[in-house]
Amino acid sequence: MANQEKYNEIAGVNKKEQEKKERQEERIEREQRREDAINNFQDNFRDDREQAHESKLTFEDSVIEKIASIACQEVPGVLDMKGGFFSGISEQFGGRSLTKGISADVGEKEAAIDASIILEYGYSAPKVFEELKRNIAQSVGQMTGLKVVEVNVRVDDVMTKKEYEIKRRNTRNEDSNYEQESSLR
């Protein structure tokens, strides 16, 4: 056996085998490094994209207020929404505020709604309240995905339908008389 090793050493057999083995190990090592580099690049690319571009859906308070206002108008027993000072001024100049009587606090996943209404005489305020809560929560939730966690309703006035119509007609007549007088000047 010693003679064969000596022969192989002189003939360079072991050296050729050794070089072949080293080249193969180097090739395997290069492939492993390349594969690791590709995996690291892909991981970094994925992480950067996920961190840099976080998608988000948000809503202005006025959007939620408008949805809630329309939902309130759909409930029997609600004659109208009772607006504040600025809503009254807006209506005197021919405008109609769709968010009149509604205020909303909107977070990323939840919303709280406050409503001021004119209740029609003869309707049960607690029943109208329950219907308002249900309709507002359903409308806002369906359209936005937000959870309505609180609905507060304030009854600012009670009127018969007839009384309400007369008041609306008088208000419109006063507004049109004001506009006519203004245009004559």
Side-chain angles (χ1 to χ4, degrees), residues 62-76 78 80-81 96-102 113 115 117 131-132 135-140 143:
S62 61
V63 172
I64 305 306
E65 290 169 355
K66 188 181 263 188
I67 293 168
S69 178
I70 293 168
C72 286
Q73 300 287 335
E74 295 173 344
V75 174
V78 176
D80 200 1
M81 307 304 294
R96 171 119 166 70
S97 174
L98 290 176
T99 60
K100 176 176 80 167
I102 299 286
I113 311 289
I117 66 166
E131 184 66 18
L132 281 170
N135 206 33
I136 290 170
Q138 182 180 4
S139 295
V140 171
M143 291 184 71

Side-chain angles (χ1 to χ4, degrees), residues 107-122:
E108 287 187 27
K109 296 180 182 181
E110 298 177 336
I113 311 289
D114 293 331
S116 296
I117 66 166
I118 299 173
L119 182 68
E120 184 176 348
Y121 178 80

